[in-house]
Amino acid sequence: MAKNIVVVGTQWGDEGKGKVVDWLTEQAGGVVRFQGGHNAGHTLVVGDKTYKLNLVPSGIARPGVRCYIGNGVVLDIAHLLGEIAQLEAGGIEARSRLFISPGCPLILPYHAALDQAREAKKNAAAKIGTTGKGIGPAYEDKVARRALRVYDLFNRAHLAEKLAEVMEYHNFVLTRFLDAQPVDYQKTLDETLERAEAIRPMVTDISAALYAAHDAGQNLLFEGAQGTLLDIDHGTYPFVTSSNCVAGQAAAGSGVGPGMLHYVLGITKAYCTRVGGGPFPAELPIEREGTPGYQMSRKGREFGTVTGRARRCGWFDAALLARSARINGLSGLCITKLDVLDGLSELRICTAYRLDGKIIDLFPIGADEVARCEPIFETLPGWKESTYGLTRWEDLPDNARAYLDRLETLCQTPVDLISTGPERQETIVRRNPFAV
Ligand code: GDP
Ligand code: IMO
Ligand code: MG
C-alpha cells in the first residue's frame, strides 16, 4: 500500500528539511506544502547545483515528481512566478508539475508593507524579527474572513470590489496608525490580474489530486516549513510565525484526513539554531573564534536563506525535543548536520532546566517562562574524525554513535536517519521511513 510521510522541523526551523525531503522524494510520487509561505528557505544541493526554494515543494528537483501547494499555504504569486522562472533558468521545468489550491489565501503588497511597518514600530525587545514577507498579516486576513484567495482571482469584478474594500481598511491602518506609505490600489489590481493568468493552469483541487495519487499507489510526502517552536499555538508565542507548523497541520492544510498520514519524521539538527527574536535557553555566543558556538555558526554556515541574518546557535536541547516529539507524534528522527560537530573536544546536551527553583525536563509553554529557564547540561566526549559525507552507521566514530544513542534515549524516539552533508546521498539510513 502507498505510504505517506510527514516531514516537520522539530526546533526553530532550518533543520535541513529541504535536503531530507529531496532525498526521500526518490521514493515518492508527490510532495505537498501545507503551511507557511515564502518565509521558508529550503536548500537543496544536487551535484554541482544548489537550489534555494521558498514556496515550491522540495521534490521539484526530481524529474516527474508532482509538487502540490495546499490550502494552508499563504501565496505570494509574484514570488512564486519568480521562483518558477529561476528553476527554469536552472534547467528544471516546474509549471507542468506544480499544482496550487484555490483555497490558498493571497499575500499582496500591503501585507509586506504592514509586516515591515509594524516591526519598525516595535521597540528592540518586542521585535519578532519576522522575515518581512507579509506572512502574519496574510494569515490575519484569512482568520478575519477578509482574505482574497486564489479562487477569487478568476472573477474580475468580484476581485476588484473585494480588493478595494480590503485595501481601504489596510491603507487606513498603514497611513493613520503605522505612519507608513499607502499601497496603490490600481497597480495592485492590474498586477494581480496579470499574474492570475500565469498561474491559472496550475490551479486545481489539491485534496482530490492527493486522493487520486494515493489511489494510484503513489507515496506522498508532506513537507513542513518553519519548526515546532515557531508554531502559532505551540511555539514561544509571540516569537513565532503565524501558522501551525506541527504534523497535525499536514491534514488540514492540504485537505486529507489524518488517517492518510502514516509516519511523522522529525528533522532535528545535531545542535540548535534560531533566527529572529525570542528565548533560547541553550544558546551559545557565536562571535569568538575557537568556541563551539563559532564552529556551529561558521562550519554550519548558519546564515538565513531568506534574510541572510546570522542564525543564533546553541547546544542540543533534549527538553525541547521532548515537547516537540509529543506535539508532532514523531515516528522517527532524522539528525542533521552531525558533521558540523566534528572536532569538538566535548559536547553538551541540555537535559532539563532550572525554573524558579524547580527542575523541569519539558520545555515550558510560556515564552517568559522559557526565558527564565537555566539549562542543565550533561557532557559527552566529542570525536576527532570527520563524519562528513558518511553513508554507513558502522563508519561513524564510536563517540558520534554514543552521542546519537544518547539523543535517541533522551528524545524517546528512534533515530532513523542521519544527515552528514548537504548533498542528497550524504545520508545514513537505519530504518527507511517508507519501509517502517
Ligand atoms: P530547512 O529550512 O529546514 O530546509 O533548512 P535550510 O535549507 O534553511 O538550512 C539547512 C542548511 O544546512 C542548508 O544550507 C543545507 O544545504 C545544509 N545541510 C543540510 N543537511 C546538512 C548536513 O547534514 N550537513 C551539513 N554540513 N549541511 C547540511
Ligand atoms: P524554514 O522553513 C527559520 C522565523 C522568523 C521570525 C519568525 C516570524 O526555512 O525552516 P515570519 O516572517 O514567519 O512572520 O517570522 O519566524 N522564521 C523562520 N526561522 N526558518 C524558517 O523557515 C522561518 N520562517 C520564519 O525569523 O523569527
Ligand atoms: Mg530554512
Side-chain angles (χ1 to χ4, degrees):
M1 197 194 78
K3 182 139 193 186
N4 303 326
I5 294 176
V6 186
V7 176
V8 288
T10 58
Q11 294 153 324
W12 280 290
D14 302 325
E15 296 91 348
K17 300 177 289 295
K19 177 224 148 138
V20 179
V21 168
D22 170 62
W23 178 79
L24 282 168
T25 304
E26 189 178 16
Q27 303 170 69
V31 181
V32 194
R33 273 282 304 269
F34 54 86
Q35 48 74 226
H38 63 308
N39 49 347
H42 301 168
T43 310
L44 279 48
V45 182
V46 185
D48 58 0
K49 292 211 167 115
T50 297
Y51 304 100
K52 293 194 181 293
L53 302 172
N54 306 122
L55 272 168
V56 174
S58 298
I60 201 75
R62 300 269 185 186
V65 167
R66 291 175 175 232
C67 289
Y68 306 92
I69 298 183
N71 57 278
V73 171
V74 280
L75 189 70
D76 183 318
I77 313 177
H79 189 90
L80 179 69
L81 292 172
E83 215 174 306
I84 292 171
Q86 236 174 14
L87 283 166
E88 284 172 349
I92 294 185
E93 199 283 316
R95 277 167 207 268
S96 68
R97 298 187 284 131
L98 191 57
F99 304 93
I100 301 167
S101 166
C104 292
L106 297 174
I107 299 189
L108 289 161
Y110 46 87
H111 292 121
L114 286 162
D115 193 356
Q116 291 160 19
R118 276 200 209 140
E119 281 282 282
K121 208 173 170 158
K122 287 196 164 87
N123 67 38
K127 282 192 204 300
I128 311 279
T130 72
T131 58
K133 303 292 181 193
I135 306 297
Y139 276 116
E140 283 171 36
D141 275 1
K142 166 179 168 167
V143 175
R145 296 173 292 194
R146 61 170 172 253
L148 288 154
R149 309 201 298 170
V150 167
Y151 177 82
D152 297 310
L153 289 170
F154 308 110
N155 180 337
R156 280 176 172 252
H158 169 73
L159 178 74
E161 192 185 321
K162 221 175 151 182
L163 186 69
E165 193 182 311
V166 76
M167 284 192 72
E168 185 187 2
Y169 171 69
H170 286 313
N171 274 334
F172 178 84
V173 175
L174 276 168
T175 54
R176 303 288 289 274
F177 183 67
L178 293 168
D179 307 317
Q181 294 300 312
V183 175
D184 188 76
Y185 167 73
Q186 198 57 49
K187 185 165 181 278
T188 306
L189 179 63
D190 294 346
E191 287 178 353
T192 304
L193 286 169
E194 193 186 320
R195 289 171 188 145
E197 289 314 308
I199 66 156
R200 193 196 277 265
M202 294 179 256
V203 177
T204 194
D205 179 337
I206 297 294
S207 169
L210 295 179
Y211 277 102
H214 181 71
D215 291 344
Q218 288 182 17
N219 292 335
L220 296 170
L221 281 166
F222 292 80
E223 178 186 18
Q226 290 80 52
T228 303
L229 275 305
L230 286 173
D231 181 279
I232 184 74
D233 288 302
H234 302 285
T236 46
Y237 190 92
F239 300 98
V240 291
T241 191
S242 297
S243 65
N244 286 113
C245 322
V246 294
Q249 175 64 15
S254 64
V256 301
M260 282 275 276
L261 313 174
H262 306 126
Y263 173 106
V264 181
L265 180 65
I267 312 297
T268 306
K269 221 176 264 194
Y271 47 100
C272 212
T273 61
R274 168 162 213 174
V275 204
F280 182 172
E283 186 170 11
L284 287 165
I286 57 170
E287 294 81 18
R288 203 153 49 85
E289 212 174 324
T291 60
Y294 184 88
Q295 174 161 333
M296 291 166 190
S297 168
R298 298 307 163 98
K299 193 169 177 189
R301 299 189 188 171
E302 297 296 356
F303 295 88
T305 318
V306 176
T307 56
R309 291 176 289 178
R311 295 174 183 152
R312 300 154 68 191
C313 298
W315 294 116
F316 190 92
D317 188 335
L320 178 156
L321 248 294
R323 172 72 70 189
S324 203
R326 291 174 202 196
I327 298 170
N328 290 299
L330 296 182
S331 317
L333 292 174
C334 172
I335 304 291
T336 61
K337 303 189 92 161
L338 183 72
D339 54 291
V340 173
L341 302 179
D342 293 350
L344 288 175
S345 56
E346 56 179 38
L347 300 170
R348 295 178 131 203
I349 301 174
C350 171
T351 53
Y353 315 110
R354 201 165 282 114
L355 173 64
D356 304 336
K358 289 201 188 90
I359 291 186
I360 56 166
D361 60 4
L362 192 58
F363 195 85
I365 305 279
D368 53 339
E369 282 180 314
V370 179
R372 290 202 306 280
C373 279
E374 287 171 49
I376 298 172
F377 291 109
E378 80 178 35
T379 304
L380 272 73
W383 55 91
K384 289 199 174 59
E385 302 88 333
S386 168
T387 63
Y388 189 85
L390 293 184
T391 55
R392 288 164 14 130
W393 173 255
E394 308 81 75
D395 294 341
L396 287 172
D398 290 346
N399 286 350
R401 284 200 300 251
Y403 180 67
L404 293 166
D405 283 342
R406 188 66 187 134
L407 298 191
E408 183 169 271
T409 305
L410 287 168
C411 302
Q412 294 180 38
T413 310
V415 173
D416 286 341
L417 301 170
I418 299 132
S419 172
T420 56
E423 287 232 32
R424 3 170 115 134
Q425 69 275 15
E426 292 167 338
T427 307
I428 296 173
V429 187
R430 294 174 84 196
R431 276 200 320 171
N432 180 347
F434 284 109
V436 173

